[in-house]
Amino acid sequence: MNQNIQKEILQISKGLISFRATELNFSEKEACLGYIERYFKKISKGIYIKKIASRKYTGILISNSRNYSPDILLNGHIDVVGGEAEQFKPKIIKNKLYGRGSIDMKGAVAVFMVLMKKIIQEKMDKKVMLMLVGDEEIPNVATTDYLINNLNLRPKFTIVGEETDFDIVTSQKGNLNIKVEAKGRSVHSAFPEKGVNALEKCIKFYEGINNLKSFKEKTDYANTIALTYLRGGEAINSIPNSAQMGINIRLISKKTLNEINNYINKYKNRVKTGFNIKTYYSGSMMEDVTKQEQIKQLKKAITEVVRLKPKQTKTSTSSDARYFSSKKMPVVVFGPRGAKYHEEGEYVEISSLMIYYRILYQLIQQSN
Ligand SMILES: [Zn+2]
């Protein structure tokens, strides 16, 4: 029995990996969603499928009830970051399945699919919904958020299946990008006082942000700031008349966001010309809104399936979990074991997929 399930999970994982569902590859994303839809269309009873494939939003919802307040919602994405053609040919070596998106997160999606089918076939009395979207990796588009709002979804508990190595993630940092374009006035570098140095303007701005109170705290889970690019200047003996700078900030609280915004607004007032600051993709943070009772239930399911001491943690990366937490809907990020996501050599541990399946099955069965 378990062996058949494992075989099916592996087969689907491989099938999903072979789609080049990268950022702008809409046709591959649609093909991937079609593959998922066909899998579920073989089930004739007790299933509700809703597919969205517009230019803007791509995703599919599978559920075993018409209810939009499921007991459990499983959330995953089928899009991946780019990679070489070779990475879209899944490969198994011992306990590892290699391929683009194997851990991020087609392995988990395969588990969700097989599990969902099982739940429907067994006529389990829990209301479960599977949400798979095609744009988690793309800034500024969010089918997850769109579906929550558009259908007024109110899941009692959501699991986002990104890799966590079976840790239970209840908080994630927000992601704020700042792009700066500075104009100066070029003069001979022997007379810097006669010109305006665009690079120095950028550096001053960066140092100001870097010195904010928010970035002084050095704990494990703290705000971070990174200067990611700084470009400008033409010649060694000339004051640069233009410069560009990029800053990436990971936030742990709204307080930090306010502090940064205040700083930027004041700066804009002070430096009125030749300085353009754009902030964007203020990806909200995932705040801890989950009830202790739900964490307990998940921990219980974990320990019943595998000899693991489940840990509750916080991470620096972001995921679609933030769209649930920002609406105060209980959510955790919880997924199987693997490594090298967004890198070469990405893999998922095959045995962890089966463990993942069993934990989720247990959790859903015991949920109330
Ligand atoms: Zn992911």
Side-chain angles (χ1 to χ4, degrees), residues 77 104-105 136-137 162:
H77 64 85
D104 187 17
M105 54 175 280
E136 195 271 347
E137 305 283 5
E162 305 276 7

Side-chain angles (χ1 to χ4, degrees), residues 135-182:
D135 52 31
E136 195 271 347
E137 305 283 5
I138 310 171
N140 301 324
V141 193
T143 302
T144 294
D145 196 37
Y146 169 78
L147 288 172
I148 294 172
N149 294 328
N150 209 261
L151 302 174
N152 201 19
L153 297 182
R154 286 293 174 271
K156 297 191 179 97
F157 189 36
T158 296
I159 292 182
V160 177
E162 305 276 7
E163 183 271 335
T164 67
D165 195 1
F166 299 114
D167 282 349
I168 302 165
V169 175
T170 50
S171 304
Q172 291 185 310
K173 293 181 189 177
N175 184 0
L176 177 70
N177 292 303
I178 304 175
K179 282 185 167 182
V180 175
E181 286 193 18

